[in-house]
């Protein structure tokens, strides 16, 4: 018989490495910036461990795997090791993770506990009980196999001999080699016998083996004469025996007597150079396999989402009843379903979370999805269901059409929540849940804005007080104090000096004139535009007197409270592109003018850094879900009159990346299309750089009847019969408003889908008439929707229309160039969007045009503060009025947010509670802790 063919682990492992190298190249080409990641955790500093780790690091570098060696000192405790493991388990950049054994620590450490702490999906050593259990059950495609047995199987495959049906003998029963080798051969359909040092008939059993794997740890234990002729022999042993011919006095041998065995076997592995090199190669292979599984699970593409099945009831219960009947998924499950990593999510209980902006960097090469904005015709005071339609549409796209879809909505103010309007979570079977969490504190963003806003207000009055009561030098000593005998300017003070043209960094080098310029903001109290805020409707705070205490030395002034969501800080949050951009915008916020007419900013007050600290967590979008389990970002809630009335740019950007190129992001613009949609296009899209694909315009028969001449609609008062009985004439006449809002949307070059939100009092003829008028007016499509009563099912026709419209030609454009003069931009909006003949600037507005142009703010976009109840400035003018002159009472600047807002008519920024507010019905069950009542 010819001597055995040598199974060289060096050659085979080299082939494996070349194959893996190519696989890594293909991965990085398909997913730019991605690399498989391997972490090696070592405790102590054993020389043999260092040698093995260096071999692994070298192999990883050769293949293109990003390898990280974490080395803990030998003083590390078990808790230290477990903490490190937990961190690596949560690290999305780590796909393979091994703990180098033995653990060289001075402290007792349970090795079993440590290996089982490694996440099974990262346990590329295959040593955890879960992977061992899966292997023993035959789940070979869903586990990691220990590297040495895996390498042995690869060598056996190299022989070309079929394993199935062969008799295999494994000598050794260790958890690392023997036991998993037995399972691996068994599930490859061999008949397997496991032997060990105590087996009495060892030679007899070896003689039966077609395949022999030896891992006993005893030098040349298996003799050549025992081996069955033609057997495959895999020798895993590494032993040292004396050899005087060697410089070291010893040589390496295996567990098999090699020279005699190779005369009997058909294939045999040498020692060294056989199984050894395969172990490292298999570790690399398992790491690449783990990275491939990771990409299959998290790669941009179709999400795997568990949707909630609605149990519809008629009549439809109250919103709070429906919300409480739903069992939301744990929010970490929602995060995982949409492709967020654990370290990108900050949990706030079971139903809400914040999402780290680092996801934008991770997905920077991911194409955006389709961008849809939901707006409406000019509404009644009751609202026409934009929020409900937004939620219904995403439930239809997600739970019913199985598209990746995100809703992005504003966080509601507690003012309207406790007023007659109630909450803003949607309604019926189209809600963001839990609605009480949504409508109340959420994650505290609005409270942070309240604190930040009022810090600025306090700083204004404190600065004026100190400037009025102290000398230049005293002020300077307070602003630039000596600490341990050293004075130093802060960064924000350096910026103020540069603004003043003072290029000095040594506080002792300023002249008296420079000190005066530095310390004196010289605020003109009459020009202060920054007010204190509170997130409650309280009409008695609309005008107040501050500074009444004797400690203020008679420096009192008239001021006011606004509602928190009207704060410029809220608008900054909504338009910011990140934490750094938000901080810069804070610094640019103009709070007043000096007596010389120069703008005074938050940076001049020195509060920019403090504001950033207070607001640092607010930039992270808040993750929630709908009744049917589709994801929702709830982030920012700026007013839709004195601000732009849209949720945050950041939430939209994160959502567009998460849904992928074939997915949808549906966001909502406040009030009617003439206000919220116009600002969405001209302000939000201008700053974000995002381009919308579809406008969904919500219309109702009720609102169209009002525009057609129906009696007034008043919140809290039963609807007149004109609204509960069929009246096609009123509907047809009121469609003038619908036609104008369709034209407004098409003016921006975006396809329009009209969603006719059906109420139970609407007749088929009325609904059909609205659909007909909408299509004749140029809508891409118009459909009837019943989502309030049926959830996503009732918006399926709308969802399909939106899908089609998203593929239609799109020629998005802005209405105006920001370089135009302020008056021209206002006139364009008034004439093109509202239908006005012209505008009239009252004296105060004329002064502001001159002031803001002089101060360099003339190139900012325009944010019209106008009634939402009419296309004109007069809430009583319904339909589509024309020929009117739009009066501009005043113009104010939100320089940090980045717009000017003309005031049209009378507009309060602190609403008052009605006679019978919503909170009469709100209560807390003291036993269950559940919120009861209406929102």
């Amino acid at each position: 018989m010819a001597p055995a063919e040598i199974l060289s682990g060096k050659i085979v492992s080299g082939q494996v490495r070349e194959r893996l190298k190519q696989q890594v190249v293909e991965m990085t080409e398909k997913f730019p910036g991605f690399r498989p990641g391997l972490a090696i955790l070592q405790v102590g500093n054993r020389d043999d461990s260092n040698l093995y780790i260096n071999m692994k690091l070298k192999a990883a570098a050769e293949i293109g795997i990003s390898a990280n060696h974490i080395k803990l000192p030998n003083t590390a405790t078990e808790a230290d090791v477990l903490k490190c493991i937990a961190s690596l388990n949560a690290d999305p950049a780590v796909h393979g993770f091994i703990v180098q054994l033995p653990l060289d620590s001075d402290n007792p450490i349970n090795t079993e506990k440590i290996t089982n702490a490694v996440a099974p999906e990262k346990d590329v050593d295959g040593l955890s009980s879960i992977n061992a259990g899966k292997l023993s059950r035959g789940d070979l495609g869903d586990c990691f196999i220990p590297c040495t047995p895996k390498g042995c199987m690869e060598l056996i495959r190299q022989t070309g001999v079929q394993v199935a049906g062969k008799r295999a003998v494994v000598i050794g029963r260790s958890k690392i080699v023997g036991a998993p080798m037995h399972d691996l051969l068994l599930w490859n359909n061999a008949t397997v016998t496991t032997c060990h040092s105590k087996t009495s008939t060892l030679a007899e059993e070896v003689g039966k083996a077609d395949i022999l794997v030896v891992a006993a740890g005893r030098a040349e234990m298996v003799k050549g004469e025992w081996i069955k002729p033609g057997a495959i022999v895999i020798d895993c042993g590494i032993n040292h025996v004396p050899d005087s011919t060697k410089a070291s006095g010893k040589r390496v041998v295996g567990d098999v007597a090699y020279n005699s065995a190779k005369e009997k076997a058909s294939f045999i592995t040498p020692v060294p150079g056989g199984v050894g090199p395969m172990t490292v190669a298999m570790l690399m292979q398992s790491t690449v396999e783990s990275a491939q599984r990771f990409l299959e699970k998290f790669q941009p593409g179709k999400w795997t989402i568990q949707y909630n099945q609605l149990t519809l009831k008629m009549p439809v219960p109250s919103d709070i009843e429906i919300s409480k009947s739903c069992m939301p998924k744990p929010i970490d499950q929602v995060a995982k379903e949409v492709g967020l990593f654990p370290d990108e999510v900050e949990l706030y209980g079971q139903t809400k979370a914040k999402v780290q902006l680092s996801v934008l960097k991770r997905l920077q090469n991911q194409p955006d999805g389709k961008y849809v904005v939901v707006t409406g015709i000019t509404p009644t005071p009751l609202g026409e269901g934009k929020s409900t339609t937004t939620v219904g549409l995403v439930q239809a796209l997600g739970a019913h059409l199985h598209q990746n879809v995100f809703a992005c909505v504003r966080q509601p103010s507690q003012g309207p929540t406790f007023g007659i309007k109630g909450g803003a979570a949607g309604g019926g079977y189209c809600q963001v849940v839990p609605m009480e969490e949504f409508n109340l504190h959420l994650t505290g963003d609005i409270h942070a804005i309240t604190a930040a806003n009022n810090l600025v207000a306090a700083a204004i009055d404190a600065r004026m007080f100190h400037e009025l009561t102290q000398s230049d030098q005293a002020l300077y000593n307070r602003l630039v104090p000596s600490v341990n005998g050293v004075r130093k300017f802060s960064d924000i003070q350096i910026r103020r000096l540069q603004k003043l043209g003072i290029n000095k960094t040594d506080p002792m080098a300023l002249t008296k004139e420079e000190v005066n310029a530095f310390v004196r903001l010289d605020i003109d109290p009459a020009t202060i535009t920054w007010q204190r805020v509170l997130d409650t409707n309280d009409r008695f705070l609309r005008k107040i007197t501050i500074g009444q205490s004797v400690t203020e030395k008679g420096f009192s002034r008239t001021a006011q409270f606004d509602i928190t969501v009207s704060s410029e800080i809220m608008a900054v949050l909504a338009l910011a592109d990140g934490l750094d951009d938000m901080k810069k915008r804070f610094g640019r916020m103009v709070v007043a003018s000096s007596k010389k007419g120069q703008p005074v900013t938050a940076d001049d007050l020195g509060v920019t850094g403090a504001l950033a600290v207070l607001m640092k967590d607010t930039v992270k979008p808040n993750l929630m879900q709908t009744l049917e389990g589709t994801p929702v970002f709830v982030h920012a809630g700026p007013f839709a009159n004195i601000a732009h009335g849209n949720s945050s740019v950041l939430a939209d950007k994160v959502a567009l990346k998460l849904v992928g190129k074939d997915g949808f992001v549906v966001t909502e613009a406040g009030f009617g299309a003439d206000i919220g949609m116009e600002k969405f296009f001209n302000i939000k899209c201008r700053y974000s750089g995002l381009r919308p694909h579809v406008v969904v315009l919500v219309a109702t028969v009720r609102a169209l009847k009002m525009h057609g001449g129906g009696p007034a609609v008043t919140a809290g008062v039963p609807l007149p019969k004109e609204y509960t009985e069929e009246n096609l004439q009123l509907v047809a006449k009121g469609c003038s408003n619908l036609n104008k809002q369709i034209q407004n949307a098409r003016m921006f070059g975006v396809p329009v889908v009209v969603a006719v939100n059906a109420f139970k009092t609407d007749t088929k003829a009325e609904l059909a008439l609205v659909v007909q008028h909408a299509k004749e007016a140029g809508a891409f499509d118009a459909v009837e929707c019943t989502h309030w009563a049926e959830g996503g099912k009732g918006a399926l026709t709308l969802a399909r229309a939106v899908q089609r419209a998203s593929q239609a030609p799109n020629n998005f454009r802005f209405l105006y160039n920001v370089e135009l003069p302020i008056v021209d931009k206002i006139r364009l909006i008034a004439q093109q969007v509202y239908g006005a003949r012209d505008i009239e600037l009252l004296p105060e507005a004329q002064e502001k045009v001159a002031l803001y142009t002089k101060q360099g703010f003339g190139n900012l976009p325009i944010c019209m503060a106008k009634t939402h109840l009419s296309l004109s400035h007069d809430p009583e003018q319904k339909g589509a009025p024309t020929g009117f002159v739009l009066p501009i009472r005043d113009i104010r600047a939100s320089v940090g947010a980045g717009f000017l807002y003309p005031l049209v008519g009378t507009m309060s920024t602190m609403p008052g509670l009605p006679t019978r507010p919503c909170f009469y019905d709100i209560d807390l069950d003291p036993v269950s802790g559940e919120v009861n009542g209406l929102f």
Side-chain angles (χ1 to χ4, degrees), residues 60 258 279 299 359 432 506 675 742 815 828 847:
Y258 179 78
T279 301
Q299 69 173 330
V359 66
V432 180
D506 181 2
I675 301 179
I742 291 172
L815 178 63
L828 270 172
E847 291 174 9

Side-chain angles (χ1 to χ4, degrees), residues 305-309 323 326-335 337-338 349-353 391 394-395 405-407 409 425-426 429-438 442 622-634:
I305 289 190
Q306 173 192 324
Y307 296 108
N308 297 331
Q309 190 75 32
S323 177
C326 166
M327 179 61 71
K329 297 177 289 186
I331 201 64
D332 57 341
Q333 178 184 333
V334 176
E337 288 173 341
V338 302
Q350 292 293 311
T351 57
K352 52 192 177 180
V391 176
V394 297
Q395 289 182 165
V405 63
F406 242 105
V409 299
Y429 287 102
C430 298
Q431 297 185 46
V432 180
V433 290
M435 67 177 301
E436 60 269 32
E437 296 285 348
F438 175 91
L442 198 59
N622 303 300
L623 179 65
M624 294 188 77
Q625 63 191 290
T626 67
L627 282 168
E628 296 191 50
T630 58
V632 180
F633 275 139
V634 185

